[in-house]
Amino acid sequence: MDIDSANLYFAKACAGCHGVDGRTPTTPYYPIIAGQNKAYIYNQLRDLKNGSRTNSMSIVMKGIMSAVSDEEMHIIAAWLAKQ
Ligand code: HEC
């Protein structure tokens, strides 16, 4: 389960910006996302995907999230919460 979840995180290119563990972002513009509450992470992913979370940086995430399903968001959120 953990290995599959990590693979999903890598397969969707999340590590390219947020780092291999979600806490080592590759630039200062990308947030640390690991270790937060699972429901909080899921809600952010959903809102970034559906466009209800908008600010200067969310457009970056919106494009990425178009390729991530609701089920995958739950899996990734659970994995990130444990990192
Ligand atoms: C091209 C760089 C990039 C990629 C790839 C990327 N992100 Fe992000 N991510 C960002 C940026 C920039 C923000 C800040 C957006 C904002 O402030 O609205 C962000 C915000 C987030 C947040 C909200 C953090 C918070 O504390 O509210 C989460 C969760 C997140 N990303 C998860 C992911 C996941 C999961 C993936 C892979 C499916 C991913 N990101 C791929 C750049 C990226």
Side-chain angles (χ1 to χ4, degrees), residues 12-14 17-18 29-31 33 36 40-41 44-45 48 53 55 57-58 60-61 64 68 76:
K12 299 293 179 180
C14 316
C17 293
H18 296 290
Y29 304 104
Y30 304 143
I33 55 174
Q36 304 185 90
Y40 171 82
I41 297 172
Q44 301 316 305
L45 293 176
L48 285 159
R53 170 170 163 171
N55 63 47
M57 297 293 281
S58 16
V60 176
M61 276 297 290
I64 301 287
V68 183
I76 292 174

Side-chain angles (χ1 to χ4, degrees), residues 3-43:
I3 292 170
D4 287 349
S5 312
N7 283 346
L8 192 55
Y9 176 82
F10 288 105
K12 299 293 179 180
C14 316
C17 293
H18 296 290
V20 292
D21 50 7
R23 55 176 76 249
T24 48
T26 53
T27 83
Y29 304 104
Y30 304 143
I32 290 172
I33 55 174
Q36 304 185 90
N37 179 273
K38 182 172 79 173
Y40 171 82
I41 297 172
Y42 170 78
N43 288 342

